[in-house]
mmCIF file of all heavy atoms in Angstrom:
data_model
loop_
_atom_site.group_PDB
_atom_site.id
_atom_site.type_symbol
_atom_site.label_atom_id
_atom_site.label_comp_id
_atom_site.label_asym_id
_atom_site.label_seq_id
_atom_site.Cartn_x
_atom_site.Cartn_y
_atom_site.Cartn_z
ATOM 1 N N GLY A 423 70.599 102.921 100.006
ATOM 2 C CA GLY A 423 71.901 103.108 99.366
ATOM 3 C C GLY A 423 71.994 104.422 98.617
ATOM 4 O O GLY A 423 72.992 105.146 98.723
ATOM 5 N N LEU A 424 70.955 104.755 97.861
ATOM 6 C CA LEU A 424 70.958 106.012 97.110
ATOM 7 C C LEU A 424 70.981 107.213 98.050
ATOM 8 O O LEU A 424 71.724 108.185 97.822
ATOM 9 C CB LEU A 424 69.730 106.075 96.203
ATOM 10 C CG LEU A 424 69.735 105.119 95.003
ATOM 11 C CD1 LEU A 424 68.374 105.096 94.331
ATOM 12 C CD2 LEU A 424 70.820 105.518 94.003
ATOM 13 N N ALA A 425 70.186 107.159 99.120
ATOM 14 C CA ALA A 425 70.160 108.264 100.073
ATOM 15 C C ALA A 425 71.508 108.397 100.789
ATOM 16 O O ALA A 425 72.038 109.508 100.945
ATOM 17 C CB ALA A 425 69.041 108.054 101.090
ATOM 18 N N GLY A 426 72.066 107.268 101.216
ATOM 19 C CA GLY A 426 73.353 107.297 101.924
ATOM 20 C C GLY A 426 74.487 107.776 101.047
ATOM 21 O O GLY A 426 75.337 108.572 101.483
ATOM 22 N N ALA A 427 74.512 107.325 99.791
ATOM 23 C CA ALA A 427 75.574 107.747 98.872
ATOM 24 C C ALA A 427 75.484 109.238 98.593
ATOM 25 O O ALA A 427 76.504 109.939 98.539
ATOM 26 C CB ALA A 427 75.485 106.955 97.572
ATOM 27 N N GLY A 428 74.250 109.747 98.430
ATOM 28 C CA GLY A 428 74.081 111.179 98.190
ATOM 29 C C GLY A 428 74.546 112.009 99.373
ATOM 30 O O GLY A 428 75.233 113.028 99.200
ATOM 31 N N ALA A 429 74.200 111.575 100.587
ATOM 32 C CA ALA A 429 74.611 112.314 101.784
ATOM 33 C C ALA A 429 76.127 112.290 101.956
ATOM 34 O O ALA A 429 76.750 113.309 102.270
ATOM 35 C CB ALA A 429 73.923 111.724 103.013
ATOM 36 N N LEU A 430 76.725 111.120 101.751
ATOM 37 C CA LEU A 430 78.177 111.007 101.912
ATOM 38 C C LEU A 430 78.905 111.837 100.862
ATOM 39 O O LEU A 430 79.962 112.432 101.142
ATOM 40 C CB LEU A 430 78.610 109.540 101.820
ATOM 41 C CG LEU A 430 80.082 109.245 102.120
ATOM 42 C CD1 LEU A 430 80.444 109.684 103.533
ATOM 43 C CD2 LEU A 430 80.382 107.761 101.937
ATOM 44 N N HIS A 431 78.338 111.916 99.661
ATOM 45 C CA HIS A 431 78.956 112.718 98.604
ATOM 46 C C HIS A 431 78.992 114.196 98.978
ATOM 47 O O HIS A 431 79.964 114.897 98.666
ATOM 48 C CB HIS A 431 78.191 112.535 97.293
ATOM 49 C CG HIS A 431 78.686 113.423 96.186
ATOM 50 N ND1 HIS A 431 79.894 113.228 95.568
ATOM 51 C CD2 HIS A 431 78.136 114.528 95.608
ATOM 52 C CE1 HIS A 431 80.077 114.156 94.646
ATOM 53 N NE2 HIS A 431 79.026 114.963 94.653
ATOM 54 N N VAL A 432 77.959 114.664 99.653
ATOM 55 C CA VAL A 432 77.918 116.068 100.068
ATOM 56 C C VAL A 432 78.959 116.338 101.149
ATOM 57 O O VAL A 432 79.657 117.356 101.128
ATOM 58 C CB VAL A 432 76.508 116.434 100.574
ATOM 59 C CG1 VAL A 432 76.506 117.827 101.195
ATOM 60 C CG2 VAL A 432 75.501 116.360 99.440
ATOM 61 N N VAL A 433 79.098 115.403 102.111
ATOM 62 C CA VAL A 433 79.985 115.612 103.253
ATOM 63 C C VAL A 433 81.429 115.250 102.927
ATOM 64 O O VAL A 433 82.364 116.015 103.208
ATOM 65 C CB VAL A 433 79.499 114.784 104.467
ATOM 66 C CG1 VAL A 433 80.428 114.993 105.668
ATOM 67 C CG2 VAL A 433 78.078 115.159 104.835
ATOM 68 N N MET A 434 81.642 114.074 102.325
ATOM 69 C CA MET A 434 82.994 113.568 102.026
ATOM 70 C C MET A 434 82.999 112.952 100.633
ATOM 71 O O MET A 434 82.890 111.728 100.486
ATOM 72 C CB MET A 434 83.418 112.525 103.070
ATOM 73 C CG MET A 434 83.439 113.040 104.499
ATOM 74 S SD MET A 434 83.722 111.706 105.698
ATOM 75 C CE MET A 434 85.395 111.211 105.257
ATOM 76 N N PRO A 435 83.093 113.772 99.591
ATOM 77 C CA PRO A 435 82.966 113.250 98.225
ATOM 78 C C PRO A 435 84.012 112.206 97.853
ATOM 79 O O PRO A 435 83.699 111.219 97.174
ATOM 80 C CB PRO A 435 83.089 114.504 97.357
ATOM 81 C CG PRO A 435 83.698 115.548 98.226
ATOM 82 C CD PRO A 435 83.271 115.229 99.613
ATOM 83 N N VAL A 436 85.259 112.389 98.282
ATOM 84 C CA VAL A 436 86.308 111.423 97.934
ATOM 85 C C VAL A 436 86.034 110.077 98.592
ATOM 86 O O VAL A 436 86.174 109.018 97.973
ATOM 87 C CB VAL A 436 87.695 111.956 98.337
ATOM 88 C CG1 VAL A 436 88.767 110.897 98.094
ATOM 89 C CG2 VAL A 436 88.028 113.222 97.558
ATOM 90 N N ALA A 437 85.609 110.112 99.867
ATOM 91 C CA ALA A 437 85.274 108.864 100.558
ATOM 92 C C ALA A 437 84.105 108.163 99.873
ATOM 93 O O ALA A 437 84.091 106.931 99.743
ATOM 94 C CB ALA A 437 84.941 109.147 102.016
ATOM 95 N N ALA A 438 83.110 108.940 99.427
ATOM 96 C CA ALA A 438 81.963 108.360 98.725
ATOM 97 C C ALA A 438 82.405 107.676 97.436
ATOM 98 O O ALA A 438 81.980 106.549 97.134
ATOM 99 C CB ALA A 438 80.937 109.450 98.425
ATOM 100 N N GLU A 439 83.261 108.344 96.676
ATOM 101 C CA GLU A 439 83.769 107.761 95.425
ATOM 102 C C GLU A 439 84.476 106.433 95.688
ATOM 103 O O GLU A 439 84.231 105.432 95.006
ATOM 104 C CB GLU A 439 84.752 108.723 94.759
ATOM 105 C CG GLU A 439 84.151 110.012 94.247
ATOM 106 C CD GLU A 439 85.211 111.056 93.921
ATOM 107 O OE1 GLU A 439 86.418 110.753 94.055
ATOM 108 O OE2 GLU A 439 84.821 112.173 93.538
ATOM 109 N N LYS A 440 85.357 106.432 96.673
ATOM 110 C CA LYS A 440 86.173 105.244 96.924
ATOM 111 C C LYS A 440 85.351 104.081 97.478
ATOM 112 O O LYS A 440 85.550 102.925 97.085
ATOM 113 C CB LYS A 440 87.315 105.593 97.876
ATOM 114 C CG LYS A 440 88.366 106.502 97.255
ATOM 115 C CD LYS A 440 89.548 106.688 98.189
ATOM 116 C CE LYS A 440 90.652 107.503 97.524
ATOM 117 N NZ LYS A 440 91.851 107.629 98.375
ATOM 118 N N LEU A 441 84.425 104.387 98.408
ATOM 119 C CA LEU A 441 83.600 103.318 98.966
ATOM 120 C C LEU A 441 82.698 102.694 97.911
ATOM 121 O O LEU A 441 82.567 101.467 97.829
ATOM 122 C CB LEU A 441 82.759 103.868 100.122
ATOM 123 C CG LEU A 441 83.486 104.074 101.457
ATOM 124 C CD1 LEU A 441 82.591 104.788 102.455
ATOM 125 C CD2 LEU A 441 83.946 102.726 102.019
ATOM 126 N N LEU A 442 82.080 103.542 97.096
ATOM 127 C CA LEU A 442 81.223 103.011 96.035
ATOM 128 C C LEU A 442 82.029 102.258 94.990
ATOM 129 O O LEU A 442 81.578 101.233 94.460
ATOM 130 C CB LEU A 442 80.448 104.149 95.369
ATOM 131 C CG LEU A 442 79.233 104.678 96.134
ATOM 132 C CD1 LEU A 442 78.603 105.843 95.393
ATOM 133 C CD2 LEU A 442 78.203 103.572 96.344
ATOM 134 N N ALA A 443 83.238 102.743 94.691
ATOM 135 C CA ALA A 443 84.082 102.050 93.716
ATOM 136 C C ALA A 443 84.453 100.664 94.226
ATOM 137 O O ALA A 443 84.380 99.672 93.486
ATOM 138 C CB ALA A 443 85.342 102.869 93.434
ATOM 139 N N LEU A 444 84.834 100.566 95.491
ATOM 140 C CA LEU A 444 85.196 99.266 96.064
ATOM 141 C C LEU A 444 83.990 98.343 96.129
ATOM 142 O O LEU A 444 84.063 97.160 95.748
ATOM 143 C CB LEU A 444 85.791 99.468 97.457
ATOM 144 C CG LEU A 444 86.176 98.183 98.209
ATOM 145 C CD1 LEU A 444 87.195 97.379 97.417
ATOM 146 C CD2 LEU A 444 86.708 98.517 99.599
ATOM 147 N N GLY A 445 82.863 98.870 96.600
ATOM 148 C CA GLY A 445 81.672 98.035 96.711
ATOM 149 C C GLY A 445 81.162 97.547 95.371
ATOM 150 O O GLY A 445 80.837 96.361 95.202
ATOM 151 N N SER A 446 81.107 98.447 94.391
ATOM 152 C CA SER A 446 80.562 98.063 93.081
ATOM 153 C C SER A 446 81.487 97.107 92.335
ATOM 154 O O SER A 446 81.020 96.178 91.668
ATOM 155 C CB SER A 446 80.290 99.310 92.238
ATOM 156 O OG SER A 446 81.472 100.060 92.044
ATOM 157 N N THR A 447 82.801 97.304 92.432
ATOM 158 C CA THR A 447 83.715 96.386 91.742
ATOM 159 C C THR A 447 83.695 95.003 92.383
ATOM 160 O O THR A 447 83.705 93.988 91.672
ATOM 161 C CB THR A 447 85.147 96.944 91.756
ATOM 162 O OG1 THR A 447 85.522 97.297 93.103
ATOM 163 C CG2 THR A 447 85.284 98.160 90.871
ATOM 164 N N SER A 448 83.650 94.951 93.719
ATOM 165 C CA SER A 448 83.597 93.652 94.401
ATOM 166 C C SER A 448 82.318 92.909 94.045
ATOM 167 O O SER A 448 82.338 91.692 93.805
ATOM 168 C CB SER A 448 83.688 93.846 95.915
ATOM 169 O OG SER A 448 84.904 94.455 96.287
ATOM 170 N N CYS A 449 81.203 93.626 94.019
ATOM 171 C CA CYS A 449 79.921 92.994 93.691
ATOM 172 C C CYS A 449 79.860 92.571 92.226
ATOM 173 O O CYS A 449 79.349 91.490 91.898
ATOM 174 C CB CYS A 449 78.773 93.945 94.012
ATOM 175 S SG CYS A 449 78.484 94.153 95.780
ATOM 176 N N ALA A 450 80.378 93.417 91.335
ATOM 177 C CA ALA A 450 80.330 93.085 89.908
ATOM 178 C C ALA A 450 81.124 91.819 89.608
ATOM 179 O O ALA A 450 80.712 90.998 88.775
ATOM 180 C CB ALA A 450 80.879 94.252 89.090
ATOM 181 N N ALA A 451 82.277 91.657 90.262
ATOM 182 C CA ALA A 451 83.094 90.467 90.014
ATOM 183 C C ALA A 451 82.407 89.200 90.496
ATOM 184 O O ALA A 451 82.658 88.111 89.965
ATOM 185 C CB ALA A 451 84.453 90.626 90.710
ATOM 186 N N ALA A 452 81.526 89.341 91.512
ATOM 187 C CA ALA A 452 80.803 88.170 92.025
ATOM 188 C C ALA A 452 79.469 87.962 91.320
ATOM 189 O O ALA A 452 78.972 86.829 91.249
ATOM 190 C CB ALA A 452 80.565 88.340 93.525
ATOM 191 N N LEU A 453 78.886 89.038 90.786
ATOM 192 C CA LEU A 453 77.519 88.993 90.274
ATOM 193 C C LEU A 453 77.344 87.974 89.157
ATOM 194 O O LEU A 453 76.398 87.176 89.160
ATOM 195 C CB LEU A 453 77.112 90.383 89.794
ATOM 196 C CG LEU A 453 75.686 90.536 89.255
ATOM 197 C CD1 LEU A 453 74.664 90.152 90.313
ATOM 198 C CD2 LEU A 453 75.462 91.974 88.782
#
Side-chain angles (χ1 to χ4, degrees):
L424 289 170
L430 186 60
H431 175 71
V432 172
V433 180
M434 301 172 65
V436 175
E439 293 166 2
K440 291 186 175 184
L441 282 173
L442 282 177
L444 178 59
S446 59
T447 52
S448 299
C449 288
L453 182 59

